[in-house]
Amino acid sequence: MARPIRHPAQEPADSDEVTEAVRDISHPLDDWQSLDPLLARIGDARYVLLGEASHGTSEFYTWRRLISQRLIREKGFSLIAVEGDWPDCYRVNRYIKGYPDAGRNAHEVLHAFDRWPTWMWANEEVVTLAEWLHHWNRSVAAERKVGFYGLDVYSLWDSMHAVLAYLQQVDGAAFTAAQRAFECFEPFGYDVNQYAQATAWTPRSCENSVVRMLSSLREQAPSFQQDGREAYFNAEQNALVAKNAEKYYRTMVRGDALSWNVRDEHMAETLQRLTTHYGPATKAIVWEHNTHVGDARFTDMAASGMLNVGQLVRNNHEAEGVVLVGFSSHHGTVIASQAWGDAMRVMTVPNARPGSWEDILHRADPSDKLLLFEPQSLLEMLQPRGHRAIGVVYRPRYEAFGNYVPSVLPRRYDALLHLDETHALHPLHLDTRFDHDAPETYPSGV
């Protein structure tokens, strides 16, 4: 177990050795060919996890797309799994694979992402990715079509509706059983916060109902799969989301590490299910925030009892090859909101906090760069420093007090893309009304 990292009262003193170490392991980052050293570092790894330091930065999405395209073209990667809801992302999966009635274009499909924060996936940068995947899949055999899937756990109601729709078509008796699970939630309307508050003070919950629904579905798997293996997998995953979402919302009201761990364990479990579903030769790309991708054991998250996807994938698949890639920036603009469920806006990202990793990277060379970490040669970089994390809720004037995660950078990641100046991404929804039933997550919605 890694040594817990405490949040420092202030950043460690600067040293010429740290700055020089950054220069020694940096590669210029100019265009897609600049990624050659990263592709060489990835080698034959089966899992490549690509982070982001915010959910609203254009360059993070663009560079992840360029990396993903090269991994698909040159190394045969099979799927992209993202920090998004399963039902919404499955619609994208249907479109890029050319399923019937899957939508006319990526803009139309992604514009349907209407759950706050819409800009995370309903943006022009993801439209470009989806259209490229759609074009790629038209040129390859069916078994080589690349998929696009959501790993997250928030879609309780949408997933329940998807299970009901599936069972109504294939099994009337199972549909009736699933309907009883759905009815358990009806007294709470469609308000997950109301459900969470109610179950916090009484022994009543819908846990047994959703567990029975999933068990019933799995018991019928041999017969259901005869009507379509992919359709059954989608229904089973939605039932799993409903089960784990119920647990997540029931535990989130406590405000401790448990709900965070429920969420990241669900995402790691979903990733494992996807690679098993695709087969033993599957290679998977993951797009999530740095706080999910970078190994939590080398941050102060560990001291709070929190784990994350990067840590779990490293633990479970080290022998198959795992590469964790973080992202950072020094200054720029970003899309975010000032409060949960509030309107999105373009915000200024101030210069990084003095002494933070972003500050060190900027002062070593104020240009875009790729860092490849080789543990045996990075002793100068093993002292924890703050590493900026911007969520969907962001208040720039207070960021120095709450947006920096103390991190041992060369242990948290295998590589890092530092993009010195970054810009807000381009949302598809320019005038939206948001629902408020999604809970805030640590730190500030990541």
Side-chain angles (χ1 to χ4, degrees):
M1 185 68 177
R3 175 178 62 85
I5 298 169
R6 308 283 179 186
H7 202 302
Q10 59 185 25
E11 299 293 0
D14 293 339
S15 70
D16 293 338
E17 289 81 5
V18 175
T19 305
E20 192 60 37
V22 167
R23 293 192 184 108
D24 287 344
I25 61 173
S26 294
H27 302 262
L29 198 58
D30 302 312
D31 55 25
W32 65 272
Q33 292 175 307
S34 305
L35 296 170
D36 286 352
L38 177 61
L39 270 287
R41 171 64 182 83
I42 290 170
D44 295 325
R46 189 179 182 193
Y47 295 89
V48 176
L49 280 62
L50 305 176
E52 60 179 350
S54 86
H55 288 312
T57 300
S58 178
E59 287 83 356
F60 297 156
Y61 284 75
T62 297
W63 279 102
R64 291 191 299 185
R65 172 178 59 81
L66 293 172
I67 295 168
S68 300
Q69 287 173 345
R70 291 198 61 180
L71 292 176
I72 291 165
R73 281 196 307 252
E74 300 171 34
K75 293 182 178 290
F77 273 69
S78 318
L79 61 94
I80 299 175
V82 307
E83 187 182 341
D85 291 336
W86 178 271
D88 287 338
C89 293
Y90 196 75
R91 289 199 296 271
V92 179
N93 179 65
R94 287 177 50 81
Y95 170 71
I96 66 174
K97 289 182 176 177
Y99 288 0
D101 302 318
R104 294 174 297 176
N105 53 60
H107 190 283
E108 174 186 282
V109 173
L110 286 159
H111 200 275
F113 280 60
D114 57 3
R115 186 194 303 274
W116 190 91
T118 58
W119 67 87
M120 271 185 66
W121 301 111
N123 61 65
E124 296 290 354
E125 288 78 359
V126 178
V127 167
T128 301
L129 169 70
E131 291 294 7
W132 184 88
L133 291 169
H134 181 75
H135 178 76
W136 171 266
N137 283 339
R138 290 175 61 184
S139 67
V140 299
E143 64 273 12
R144 292 187 57 215
K145 290 184 186 296
V146 176
F148 185 92
Y149 302 96
L151 297 176
D152 225 327
V153 75
Y154 291 139
S155 60
L156 174 60
W157 311 116
D158 288 347
S159 289
M160 291 284 288
H161 279 298
V163 174
L164 287 170
Y166 173 78
L167 291 175
Q168 192 170 29
Q169 292 180 358
V170 300
D171 190 302
F175 169 77
T176 302
Q179 210 168 20
R180 284 196 291 270
F182 187 82
E183 289 167 357
C184 180
F185 293 97
E186 284 189 339
F188 310 101
Y190 283 83
D191 189 338
V192 293
N193 290 308
Q194 184 180 339
Y195 176 73
Q197 293 289 342
T199 57
W201 307 112
T202 68
R204 177 188 177 188
S205 81
C206 298
E207 178 182 11
N208 291 337
S209 297
V210 289
V211 169
R212 282 196 297 270
M213 180 179 70
L214 177 60
S215 298
S216 174
L217 193 65
R218 285 175 167 169
E219 287 169 1
Q220 300 297 322
S223 59
F224 289 169
Q225 286 182 343
Q226 293 176 11
D227 294 323
R229 183 171 176 266
E230 183 80 2
Y232 170 78
F233 182 83
N234 179 43
E236 183 186 35
Q237 181 61 34
N238 275 303
L240 180 68
V241 170
K243 180 184 80 71
N244 289 340
E246 184 279 332
K247 183 178 181 181
Y248 173 80
Y249 291 125
R250 185 162 35 86
T251 57
M252 75 171 188
V253 74
R254 293 170 51 182
D256 58 15
L258 180 58
S259 61
W260 173 276
N261 291 348
V262 167
R263 184 178 173 218
D264 274 53
E265 286 170 339
H266 169 82
M267 291 195 284
E269 180 184 5
T270 300
L271 180 62
Q272 177 64 65
R273 279 175 43 78
L274 283 165
T275 54
T276 300
H277 178 68
Y278 266 72
T282 304
K283 293 183 176 182
I285 304 165
V286 174
W287 287 26
E288 294 192 316
H289 198 278
N290 286 341
T291 48
H292 299 294
V293 165
D295 193 325
R297 293 170 295 181
F298 301 100
T299 75
D300 68 339
M301 296 166 67
S304 301
M306 302 167 74
L307 48 75
N308 69 359
V309 175
Q311 172 185 345
L312 292 168
V313 176
R314 267 184 174 174
N315 280 345
N316 297 333
H317 302 287
E318 183 178 9
E320 301 159 76
V322 178
V323 177
L324 309 182
V325 183
F327 282 73
S328 67
S329 72
H330 179 260
H331 64 275
T333 58
V334 68
I335 292 284
S337 292
Q338 292 187 330
W340 193 267
D342 201 358
M344 60 183 162
R345 63 188 68 196
V346 177
M347 300 184 185
T348 297
V349 178
N351 290 348
R353 186 171 76 183
S356 64
W357 282 117
E358 285 77 4
D359 177 54
I360 294 289
L361 291 162
H362 172 76
R363 289 191 288 111
D365 177 17
S367 63
D368 296 347
K369 58 184 72 70
L370 165 67
L371 281 70
L372 299 178
F373 300 126
E374 298 296 340
Q376 66 272 19
S377 62
L378 294 170
L379 297 179
E380 301 89 349
M381 299 180 68
L382 295 184
Q383 193 169 14
R385 293 177 180 273
H387 177 29
R388 183 154 51 193
I390 297 173
V392 292
V393 175
Y394 182 47
R395 302 177 184 92
R397 73 175 73 176
Y398 303 117
E399 76 146 34
F401 305 103
N403 285 87
Y404 286 81
V405 179
S407 304
V408 178
L409 212 64
R411 300 293 186 265
R412 187 175 178 185
Y413 307 114
D414 300 297
L416 181 115
L417 275 70
H418 177 75
L419 309 168
D420 207 61
E421 180 178 9
T422 52
H423 304 86
L425 56 70
H426 304 87
L428 301 184
H429 297 267
L430 298 180
D431 182 19
T432 54
R433 299 294 179 266
F434 305 119
D435 62 53
H436 291 255
D437 65 356
E440 187 164 349
T441 52
Y442 169 93
S444 297
V446 297

